[in-house]
Amino acid sequence: MAEFWSNPGTEPKRGFRWIMRMNINGPNAIDEWLIKSVNRPNWSLSESSHVFINHTFYYPGRVQYNDLSVTLVDSVSPNAAVNMMNLLAASGYVTPDRAAEGDYRTISKKGWQEAGLGGVQIVQLDHDNQPLETWQFFNTWIKSCDLGQLSYDSDELLNISLTMRYDYFKIGSSAKLPNPSISSMFRA
């Protein structure tokens, strides 16, 4: 354990060294500097049980990937609130007045990918601003969008809160630091 703290080449990951890329091109782009916070991806595993007399035996089930929560700063230019509504329209959403005119498109996963959410990434950075690991999300779409709250008694920045759904993620590591074995880290 002492080896960790005395080795200058070993450093813990830091919560402020990251960027998120939504890779949305064109007029609805979400710039990296607008993204204020995001939770790292997480998953859960369902379980099945089998009861036999006085015993219960458990078996692992399916993996379910949980939502991403993203907070953006609503900027004037680019106008993040307008861009969120434009992304919804680009995914296939049609307002009732347009449907009355014969436009019957609907929202689809393909529509979200074509709108630009097919390339969502979180990149964890090291002290030299180099990638340590990259989380790549597949078939991402926006599940909910909260455009924030206006208040006369607040001078805080306006935030936009997104809940994003994805099918799965992959993580790639770019770490070049030595990787000691767990047993060597806890040697007496």
Side-chain angles (χ1 to χ4, degrees), residues 66-144:
N66 299 319
D67 297 340
L68 278 180
S69 298
V70 180
T71 303
L72 311 173
V73 173
D74 190 3
S75 61
V76 174
S77 180
N79 190 325
V82 169
N83 284 356
M84 290 297 104
M85 297 309 296
N86 289 342
L87 278 173
L88 181 62
S91 75
Y93 175 72
V94 177
T95 56
D97 58 332
R98 300 240 350 247
E101 297 170 1
D103 190 350
Y104 299 115
R105 289 178 294 141
T106 59
I107 297 171
S108 67
K109 192 181 289 189
K110 180 182 177 188
W112 281 108
Q113 303 315 294
E114 290 173 353
L117 284 180
V120 175
Q121 295 179 335
I122 299 172
V123 181
Q124 184 84 42
L125 303 170
D126 69 7
H127 65 282
D128 287 328
N129 213 24
Q130 297 301 309
L132 284 174
E133 54 193 31
T134 301
W135 305 80
Q136 178 74 42
F137 300 90
F138 294 89
N139 301 323
T140 311
W141 49 279
I142 298 174
K143 182 177 171 179
S144 70

